[in-house]
Structures are given as C-alpha cells and as structure tokens.
Amino acid sequence: MKKTSTVLTILSAVLILASSCKDNKNDNPTPTYDIPTTYNFTNADFSDATTRLSMVTEMSNLMKVATTGTLDGQTLKNMFANTNSPFTGAAAAYNTSGLQIKNQCATLLQTDVSNYIDTLVKASKSGVPASRGVAGVGASSANPASKYALNGRGANYAQIFNKSVMGGLITYQIVNSMSAAMGSSLDNTTVVAGKGTAAEHNWDIAFGYWGVPIDFPTNKTGAKLWGSYSTQVDSGFHANKILMDAFLKGRAAISNKDNKTRDEQATIILQTMERLTGAAVLQEVKEIKESLNDNMARNSRLSECYGFVYSLKYNPKRKITDAQIDAILALFPASFYDLTLEQVNAIRDAVAKQYDFESVKDIL
C-alpha cells in the first residue's frame, strides 16, 4: 500500500510539472510574423541620417576645389558643424535643419577632421606640382585630366576624410544603434506618428546611415558611401544580402516584440560592418595594384586604403585592437612615393588574415 502511494505521488508530480511546462510554453509563444522584402515599414523615418550623408557629399564636392585653386577651409569646418549657414544652392535647406555631422561623430574624428582640412588647404595653396616631400597638385600619368591635391608625404586628405567619415560617422552610428537595440532600454510601446517607437526609430536611423534605397539590392540607384562599397566588394563578401536581410528581420522583430531575433540580427550587423571595412581595404589594394606605376593615382588610392584602415579606430565595438590597427598602418611607407609591391601585398595579407578573407583577398 505504501509503495502504491509513492508511485501515485510521483505520477502526480510529473503531471503537475508537465502541466506547468505546457502553461509556460503558452505564456511565451514564439512570435510569428511576416518579414517584408523591402524596407517599407509603417512609420519608418531615417531622414536625419540621409540628410547627414548628403552633408558629407557636399563637403566632399567642395574639397575637389583643392585641385583647381585655393580651398576654403573655414567653410568646410562650418559645414562639418553646420554653423554660419555654409550650405548653398539646392543644399541651403540644411542650414536650418538643426542637424550637423560633427556632433554625431566619434570624438577622435571630430579632432581629425579639422587637421585633415588644414592639410588639404595647405596643398591647395602650394602653387607647385605635388612631388616627393612637396605638397601640391599632381596629375595622373595615365589620365592627365585626373588631378589630386597631395601633402608632402603623397597623401590625399580628401580621400582620407571620406573614408574616415565612413568609419567615424556611419559605422560609429550604426554600431551604437545596434548596441542600444540590444540593451532593451529603448521604449518599444509608445508610438510617435511618423517615427514609430523609440526602438523602431533607432533601428531605422541605422538603416538610413547605410545609404541604400529601400528596395536594395534589387535597386542600387542612389546608393552612396557604405551603400556603394558594400556593392563594390559583394563578389567576395556578400555584405549586400547579409546586411539587408538583417535590417529587415531586425526591424520586423522589433515591431513584433521578438527580442531574441532582434538581438541576433543586431549582432550580425555589428560583425558585418567591421568585416566590410576590411573588405574595403582589400578592394583598394586591388586598385592600387592597377595603378602601381602612376604616382599620383596610386598615392590617392593608397590614401583611401590608409583611411579605411585608420577608420577602424572609430568603431566602438571592433574586435581588432588598437595595437593590431597600428601594426597594419606601420606597413604603409613613410612616403607614399616609396610604395613597393611587397608592401602592398603585406597590407593585403594582414587584413585578409584579420578578417578571414584569405580565400578571396585578390578578388575583393
């Protein structure tokens, strides 16, 4: 009788446990929802990011003046901070937008940009052709119509600025948005008309900084900065699909309170943005090799490569260490005029190893 009672007690416990598990499962059902194929979500608004990317384009366009005359450095600095109404023509509306580039950048980049502008202005004022140890303007030997304003080292700071902004503004903002998304501190309940919840808007702004149309990569029209580079390296690193899928899944997950999927997609975006920088370095290495004997064109492309490597310092969630970044930067020659094929290959190999691109290092 005692044995029978014990068995019944155990069976009751198992039934209660099973019932409890069943109840818990019903309390936390796996969310089911549709994931759209384009970034056309209700209340999605990333216009602030789009405006800042356009401000960067305006600065880049003005820097081209350095190859034809004296560059107005103060106007460039005003454009960076959006002070004293620096934007003109079709871009004049940016003056009253209340937005600026500078306060969205990594602190280190805020200082670096001022130095880049000063160096570029000095090259524009030189009045003599660029050459080893001499700042000035030089032309491509293969295409004399292509001119570059270089410092005495042979570096093109217009290009270093562009690549630094891609790291210190765009990647910096996307990475910070992904970190905030995973922190679950953003409100995902109160909907603001036209902007969604705070969590949705945070994700939308990150997508806007990528610089692609909402139906990317089917449509690539208008893709800029990282949106352009993710396409340039797509043959070896399929960042277009990886990033678009992650942005779509993550946004749908936020709207459907699926935090597990949100965090998975945020992690993918974090990892992809750093590897994308590595892929861009290798893409520049390929172009350097194509112009190895053209001093001016090669130096400008080497500047792009240098800018991408240096921009890794701005990524607050990077896996590469400062020491590893500095070790790669040390592979660049003191004077870009002295670049050798061996040095180019050393840069390629170091970056390919760091980001596991060894099998595609020559096609990116």
Side-chain angles (χ1 to χ4, degrees):
M1 185 65 184
K2 183 177 180 181
K3 182 177 181 181
T4 300
S5 177
T6 301
V7 170
L8 288 172
T9 300
I10 293 172
L11 285 173
S12 297
V14 170
L15 288 171
I16 292 170
L17 178 60
S19 175
S20 175
C21 290
K22 183 177 180 181
D23 289 345
N24 288 341
K25 184 176 182 181
N26 289 337
D27 288 344
N28 298 287
T30 300
T32 58
Y33 49 87
D34 294 329
I35 298 171
T37 56
T38 68
Y39 206 92
N40 191 25
F41 295 93
T42 300
N43 287 323
D45 174 20
F46 41 85
S47 58
D48 285 2
T50 303
T51 296
R52 289 191 173 95
L53 295 187
S54 295
M55 289 177 170
V56 171
T57 299
E58 291 296 317
M59 290 186 68
S60 298
N61 288 339
L62 181 56
M63 287 182 180
K64 294 175 183 176
V65 171
T67 64
T68 58
T70 299
L71 183 63
D72 185 344
Q74 188 56 55
T75 294
L76 279 169
K77 292 176 182 177
N78 289 344
M79 293 167 83
F80 188 54
N82 197 7
T83 57
N84 300 320
S85 299
F87 296 100
T88 59
Y94 300 155
N95 295 327
T96 55
S97 66
L99 303 174
Q100 61 169 277
I101 304 169
K102 184 176 180 179
N103 67 1
Q104 300 298 302
C105 291
T107 302
L108 175 60
L109 179 60
Q110 294 181 29
T111 302
D112 287 341
V113 164
S114 183
N115 295 330
Y116 296 164
I117 291 172
D118 290 342
T119 302
L120 192 59
V121 168
K122 184 178 180 181
S124 77
K125 290 180 175 178
S126 169
V128 297
S131 61
R132 186 191 308 274
V134 179
V137 177
S140 161
S141 58
N143 180 13
S146 296
K147 296 182 178 180
Y148 310 91
L150 310 178
N151 73 348
R153 184 189 183 190
N156 181 351
Y157 274 87
Q159 286 296 346
I160 292 177
F161 165 81
N162 286 335
K163 277 50 187 179
S164 295
V165 166
M166 289 171 69
L169 170 67
I170 303 174
T171 299
Y172 178 76
Q173 285 295 325
I174 292 174
V175 165
N176 282 340
S177 291
M178 293 304 109
S179 298
M182 290 190 287
S184 300
S185 60
L186 298 173
D187 176 75
N188 196 22
T189 302
T190 306
V191 176
V192 176
K195 293 186 180 299
T197 66
E200 289 172 331
H201 190 58
N202 170 69
W203 196 271
D204 294 339
I205 288 292
F207 174 77
Y209 271 116
W210 184 19
V212 300
I214 63 172
D215 52 351
F216 190 79
T218 301
N219 172 27
K220 299 184 177 71
T221 303
K224 61 174 62 175
L225 298 166
W226 274 130
S228 172
Y229 266 90
S230 62
T231 296
Q232 291 181 50
V233 304
D234 201 54
S235 60
F237 178 42
H238 308 303
N240 282 350
K241 179 173 173 53
I242 294 170
L243 285 173
M244 194 66 186
D245 285 353
F247 272 115
L248 291 172
K249 289 179 182 177
R251 179 55 157 82
I254 292 170
S255 297
N256 288 279
K257 319 301 183 189
D258 179 1
N259 293 345
K260 178 176 181 294
T261 299
R262 176 204 63 194
D263 290 355
E264 290 171 349
Q265 303 314 308
T267 299
I268 289 171
I269 293 170
L270 281 173
Q271 295 171 345
T272 302
M273 288 307 299
E274 182 174 353
R275 291 196 78 207
L276 181 55
T277 307
V281 172
L282 297 179
Q283 199 268 343
E284 296 300 342
V285 164
K286 185 174 67 174
E287 293 192 357
I288 290 167
K289 288 185 174 182
E290 292 170 354
S291 58
L292 199 59
N293 296 318
D294 185 337
N295 273 349
M296 301 302 157
R298 180 207 60 221
N299 284 356
S300 184
R301 290 170 176 174
L302 185 61
S303 302
E304 295 184 63
C305 187
Y306 183 94
F308 275 131
V309 174
Y310 187 83
S311 78
L312 288 163
K313 289 178 177 282
Y314 305 126
N315 184 337
K317 294 293 183 181
R318 66 185 181 278
K319 290 188 176 179
I320 191 172
T321 65
D322 279 342
Q324 289 171 320
I325 295 172
D326 289 339
I328 297 173
L329 291 174
L331 298 173
F332 287 74
S335 171
F336 285 9
Y337 290 94
D338 295 330
L339 182 70
T340 66
L341 180 59
E342 289 72 23
Q343 289 170 320
V344 178
N345 286 335
I347 295 167
R348 176 201 62 187
D349 293 345
V351 173
K353 183 179 180 181
Q354 177 69 37
Y355 291 110
D356 194 23
F357 284 134
E358 289 175 296
S359 64
V360 295
K361 63 184 180 182
D362 289 318
I363 65 172
L364 279 166

